[in-house]
Amino acid sequence: GQQLNQSPQSMFIQEGEDVSMNCTSSSIFNTWLWYKQDPGEGPVLLIALYKAGELTSNGRLTAQFGITRKDSFLNISASIPSDVGIYFCAGSSGGGADGLTFGKGTHLIIQP
Amino acid sequence: DAGVIQSPRHEVTEMGQEVTLRCKPISGHDYLFWYRQTMMRGLELLIYFNNNVPIDDSGMPEDRFSAKMPNASFSTLKIQPSEPRDSAVYFCASRLRSNTEAFFGQGTRLTVV
């Protein structure tokens, strides 16, 4: 089946630093999504990308849909304590009728 | 909108018992998904429904797992009999037909002892 490789697995950073994480796939996706999960909660959608090459921002978050359709990255600028959590990439290859394939997540830890 | 609602939030049961997890999707959403999250395997799609009809159940681990969606506002995931390796967080998610932005519930943490 399809697999997403997400890296890094975890990040230990200082407050105020920028963060970058990415996902690569062995197959093409038509949609890339980035979610954040807080402890004890379900994943919450951060950014959705629908076109190859698309660059989208949501506040301090910026994500890009790779030209090859096999990768995506998420950047967080000027990290703050509430950014702590697990970030997941997810991809969809169908026309909208299938479920999402998730990466294993990037655990972000911020040291004050 | 209250979002996707799952119950119970936590379930502890003994091996061999039947477990039923419940989900109420966002009103008007045509698709409903059941996912399982574990440390080892991450988030895995178990089954999804479109307009209450099961479309793909290839992710259901074995016959002990079954899911139903009797109407547009309710779905259940049943495990019978439960085993310790079924311990995980089970998420329900729903989305509109026109996009793939799935919205997740808070999950049910299942522990089988």
Side-chain angles (χ1 to χ4, degrees), chain A residues 31 33 35 37 40-43 45 48 50 88 92 96-104, chain B residues 9 31 33 35 37 40-43 45 48 91 95 97 99-106:
Chain A
T31 301
L33 305 173
Y35 286 85
Q37 186 177 24
E41 302 292 330
L45 182 69
Y50 297 105
F88 292 96
S92 171
D98 61 349
L100 296 169
T101 300
F102 279 84
K104 291 291 179 69
Chain B
R9 289 295 308 277
Y31 286 83
F33 303 85
Y35 286 87
Q37 185 176 37
M40 291 297 295
R41 301 174 68 89
L43 275 158
L45 177 65
Y48 76 92
F91 287 103
R95 69 169 170 82
R97 180 175 184 169
N99 61 62
T100 56
E101 297 172 15
F103 296 87
F104 284 76
Q106 291 184 300

Side-chain angles (χ1 to χ4, degrees), chain B residues 49-60:
Chain B
F49 295 81
N50 177 23
N51 291 324
N52 314 339
V53 176
I55 301 301
D56 184 356
D57 65 353
S58 59
M60 296 286 259

Side-chain angles (χ1 to χ4, degrees), chain B residues 22 32 40 43 56 72 78 80 82 89 92 95 100 111:
Chain B
R22 296 172 176 79
L32 183 140
M40 291 297 295
L43 275 158
D56 184 356
K78 186 176 294 186
Q80 166 64 19
S82 57
V89 182
C92 176
R95 69 169 170 82
T100 56
T111 303

Side-chain angles (χ1 to χ4, degrees), chain A residues 1-106:
Chain A
Q2 296 168 330
Q3 290 188 344
L4 289 182
N5 296 310
Q6 185 171 351
S7 65
Q9 280 190 315
S10 59
M11 300 183 72
F12 294 80
I13 63 168
Q14 300 282 338
E15 183 178 349
E17 288 185 24
D18 296 342
V19 172
S20 184
M21 59 192 78
N22 68 84
C23 268
T24 59
S25 168
S26 57
S27 55
I28 289 173
F29 284 111
N30 292 322
T31 301
W32 283 93
L33 305 173
W34 285 92
Y35 286 85
K36 182 190 178 207
Q37 186 177 24
D38 291 326
E41 302 292 330
V44 175
L45 182 69
L46 298 174
I47 292 181
L49 303 159
Y50 297 105
K51 293 190 331 186
E54 179 181 357
L55 183 71
T56 297
S57 293
N58 178 7
R60 293 178 296 106
L61 278 60
T62 301
Q64 184 157 31
F65 190 148
I67 288 291
T68 64
R69 295 180 174 269
K70 292 185 177 182
D71 63 309
S72 177
F73 73 75
L74 174 71
N75 288 341
I76 306 173
S77 63
S79 59
I80 59 178
S82 60
D83 291 333
V84 166
I86 303 177
Y87 292 79
F88 292 96
C89 62
S92 171
S93 58
D98 61 349
L100 296 169
T101 300
F102 279 84
K104 291 291 179 69
T106 294

Side-chain angles (χ1 to χ4, degrees), chain B residues 6-27:
Chain B
Q6 291 185 248
S7 64
R9 289 295 308 277
H10 303 274
E11 176 81 34
V12 180
T13 190
E14 291 186 347
M15 181 174 64
Q17 296 296 307
E18 177 181 296
V19 175
T20 300
L21 311 181
R22 296 172 176 79
C23 175
K24 175 179 167 54
I26 294 173
S27 177

